[in-house]
């Protein structure tokens, strides 16, 4: 099939998932057309089936706010018509679902139908989309999509609670390429980070308020009083300066390292012992799933879709939001007990296998096949 994928090109979960989906579809022989404003960060391979169409937003002195959505819809029209797309799959409702609606109407005027699949990812529903500035457009464009998918049961329920949705929402979980994350640790790298064989904790996020990175530091501060441990913080975002101040108050040397945005997450996870995700909300928690694929148990909060992936007492532990005491106690118990830690690592890996790319991508293909035109190749 000829599939248009619209996403944010950044390190955020929705962009990562959309890009990995596009790559997997291309590997299976579909033609995949990415439409976005920058080369997606995970689009780091050459594949003859992958096309990238950059959306440019010309500036004009009148525009205090350059109209990205208009430029995006115009690019969608161009790609639909010139590359004869079978469908558009948009990731993250704002502004992708409404731009897709506009493109759909424009091509219809030219005698062309294009099915639109909208995948809801999280903050497009639970944070930004709910804001009354956006809500009417979000509700309308979700309802106008031919298919709506959400990345967890929790997000599906949250969507029904917050918006007046008239259609069925299909749940298709996030996925991970287990083979890519199941890597042997690089000893030299581990030695640099933990020269005295300290345990290594990892947190990865976009450092937004919803991630509660301050709790990562609080948890770390409690654990280090009981066992030798290092902390790697992956990613970047608005909260980072404040978190750096907190980190410096706890330790002045290299105990806590900020490694910034990283493409090769699998190299970092390969040396990790525990992953911390104390978020205020996660629709799913793709970062936790990637950790599990690397055999890293997860200490997380018990919010949103996290209980659908992190099995308490098996693949990790979950506590209430802000309960740093409980999360650090769980972490210490696990890190002190090598036998238990090994059991958790194996269970985490097995859980990731359930969400392996090979199990989830066919679920999207099944939806696409409903819209396969007479002449399109499945
Ligand atoms: O919060 C992020 O990491 C970014 C955000 C996004 O949409 O880019 O992630 C959301 O989508 C991911 C992929 O579906 C989910 O795994 C994350 O849980 C979700 N984040 C939140 O709900 C806060």
């Amino acid at each position: 099939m000829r599939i248009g994928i619209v996403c944010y090109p950044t390190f955020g979960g929705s962009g990562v998932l959309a890009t990995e989906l596009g790559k997997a579809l291309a590997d299976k022989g579909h033609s995949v057309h990415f439409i976005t404003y920058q080369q997606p960060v995970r689009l780091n391979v050459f594949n003859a089936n992958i096309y990238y169409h950059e959306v440019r937003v010309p500036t004009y002195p009148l525009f205090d706010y350059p109209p990205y959505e208009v430029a995006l819809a115009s690019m969608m029209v161009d790609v639909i018509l010139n590359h004869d797309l079978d469908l558009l799959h948009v990731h993250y409702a704002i502004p992708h679902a409404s731009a897709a609606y506009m493109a759909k109407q424009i091509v219809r005027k030219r005698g062309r139908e294009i099915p639109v699949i909208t995948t809801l990812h999280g903050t497009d529903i639970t944070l930004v989309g709910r804001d009354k500035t956006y809500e009417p457009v979000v509700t309308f464009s979700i309802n106008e999509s031919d298919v709506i998918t959400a990345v967890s049961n929790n997000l599906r329920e949250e969507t029904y609670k917050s918006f007046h949705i008239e259609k069925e929402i299909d749940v298709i979980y996030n996925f991970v390429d287990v083979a890519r994350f199941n890597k042997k640790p690089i000893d030299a790298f581990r030695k640099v980070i933990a020269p005295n064989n300290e345990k290594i904790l990892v947190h990865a996020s976009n450092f937004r308020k919803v991630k509660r990175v301050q709790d990562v530091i609080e948890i770390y501060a409690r654990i280090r009083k009981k066992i030798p441990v290092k902390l790697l913080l992956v990613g970047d975002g608005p909260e980072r300066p404040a978190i750096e101040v907190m980190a410096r108050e706890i330790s002045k040397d290299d105990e806590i390292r900020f490694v910034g945005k990283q493409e090769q997450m699998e190299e970092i996870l390969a040396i990790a012992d525990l992953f911390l995700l104390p978020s205020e909300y996660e629709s799913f928690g793709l970062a936790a799933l990637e950790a599990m694929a690397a055999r890293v148990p997860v200490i997380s909060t018990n919010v949103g879709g996290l209980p659908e992936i992190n099995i308490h007492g098996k693949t990790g532990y979950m506590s209430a939001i802000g309960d740093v005491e409980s999360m650090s106690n769980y972490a210490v118990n696990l890190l002190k007990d090598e036998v238990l830690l090994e059991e958790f690592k194996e269970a985490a890996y097995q859980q990731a296998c359930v969400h392996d790319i090979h199990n989830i991508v066919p679920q999207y293909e099944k939806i696409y096949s409903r819209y396969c035109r007479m002449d399109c190749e499945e």
Side-chain angles (χ1 to χ4, degrees):
M1 295 183 80
R2 291 175 293 272
I3 300 156
I5 291 191
V6 181
C7 64
Y8 283 100
T10 56
F11 281 96
S14 64
V16 167
L17 191 98
T19 311
E20 295 297 346
L21 174 62
K23 281 156 62 178
L25 291 166
D27 284 344
K28 295 182 100 174
H30 300 282
S31 296
V32 177
H33 294 257
F34 285 98
I35 306 172
T36 181
Y37 59 83
Q38 237 172 46
Q39 172 105 2
V41 286
R42 287 263 181 119
L43 194 53
N44 46 11
V45 288
F46 174 75
N47 184 319
N49 291 334
I50 295 181
Y51 301 74
Y52 164 57
H53 308 272
E54 189 156 304
V55 180
R56 293 204 178 81
V57 193
T59 52
Y60 185 68
L62 188 64
F63 296 160
D64 275 346
Y65 303 98
Y68 176 67
E69 196 173 336
V70 176
L72 175 62
S74 298
M75 181 58 91
M76 287 175 179
V77 170
D78 182 88
V79 179
I80 294 164
L81 297 177
N82 289 310
H83 293 271
D84 199 19
L85 294 192
D86 293 304
L87 58 92
L88 270 182
H89 187 173
V90 305
H91 293 260
Y92 205 90
I94 306 170
H96 301 152
S98 45
Y101 171 75
M102 172 114 66
K104 190 181 174 87
Q105 299 313 313
I106 295 169
V107 298
R108 181 170 281 163
K109 281 265 181 217
R110 300 184 193 184
R112 180 74 157 75
E113 288 300 320
I114 188 83
V116 173
I117 292 145
T118 298
T119 292
L120 309 172
H121 279 274
T123 48
D124 45 351
I125 296 303
T126 57
L127 215 67
V128 209
R130 257 180 207 175
D131 191 300
K132 68 176 180 356
T133 327
Y134 299 118
E135 182 280 320
V137 175
V138 174
T139 304
F140 175 80
S141 50
I142 291 177
N143 277 321
E144 287 297 319
S145 304
D146 295 280
V147 180
I148 312 161
T149 76
V151 300
S152 66
N153 287 312
N154 173 269
L155 186 61
R156 179 180 184 273
E157 294 320 309
E158 288 297 322
T159 310
Y160 283 129
K161 258 192 249 159
S162 306
F163 300 89
H164 184 71
I165 300 299
E166 297 149 357
K167 285 189 170 148
E168 190 49 43
I169 302 176
D170 294 321
V171 172
I172 302 185
Y173 281 124
N174 280 179
F175 61 81
V176 63
D177 182 354
V178 170
R180 174 180 156 198
F181 281 85
N182 187 23
K183 284 197 81 162
K184 266 201 164 329
I186 301 170
D187 286 343
F189 180 33
R190 200 187 155 101
K191 274 218 166 70
V192 172
I193 303 295
N196 301 309
N197 212 18
E198 296 92 338
K199 295 289 186 204
I200 299 176
L201 311 180
V202 172
H203 166 79
S205 76
N206 51 18
F207 282 63
R208 294 192 186 277
K209 276 204 178 336
V210 69
K211 302 291 175 179
R212 294 185 68 97
V213 190
Q214 75 276 15
D215 287 0
V216 174
I217 305 291
E218 293 283 357
I219 295 166
Y220 174 77
R222 284 165 173 75
I223 300 173
R224 77 191 273 276
K225 286 184 187 152
K226 307 211 170 125
I227 46 172
V229 68
K230 299 274 183 166
L231 173 63
L232 290 181
L233 293 165
V234 187
D236 209 337
E239 295 297 300
R240 180 165 161 182
I243 300 300
E244 285 197 40
V245 172
M246 263 185 98
R248 267 184 231 122
E249 279 164 13
I250 288 171
S251 86
K252 296 224 179 319
D253 59 18
D254 271 350
E255 274 185 46
I256 303 176
R257 281 191 190 221
F258 291 79
V259 296
K261 295 176 181 173
Q262 293 289 330
E263 266 180 54
Q264 304 300 322
M265 214 30 222
E266 62 273 28
E267 308 284 356
I268 295 171
L269 289 170
I271 62 161
D273 294 294
L274 214 51
F275 189 82
L276 304 178
L277 195 62
S279 307
E280 196 171 306
Y281 180 79
E282 286 296 338
S283 63
F284 180 91
L286 181 58
L289 181 64
E290 290 188 341
M292 288 181 185
R295 297 180 184 270
V296 184
V298 174
I299 304 286
S300 73
T301 41
N302 53 9
V303 294
L306 284 168
E308 294 175 53
I309 165 204
N310 191 12
I311 307 167
H312 185 72
K314 202 170 168 211
T315 63
Y317 291 107
M318 294 186 295
S319 303
I321 299 171
D323 193 347
V324 290
E325 196 61 41
S326 147
M327 286 186 262
S328 55
N329 285 339
Y330 281 136
V332 169
N333 288 345
L334 201 49
L335 294 172
K336 271 169 114 176
D337 186 337
E338 287 297 339
V339 178
L340 191 65
L341 184 58
E342 274 314 308
E343 277 174 27
F344 272 61
K345 284 185 177 191
E346 181 56 26
Y349 175 72
Q350 292 304 334
Q351 171 73 338
C353 290
V354 175
H355 297 275
D356 184 50
I357 192 164
H358 300 295
N359 297 331
I360 307 292
V361 172
Q363 297 179 28
Y364 283 114
E365 283 180 295
K366 198 169 166 202
I367 285 177
Y368 298 164
S369 66
R370 288 190 219 153
Y371 296 97
C372 200
R373 284 176 291 151
M374 295 295 276
D375 59 341
C376 88
E377 296 157 30
E378 276 194 63

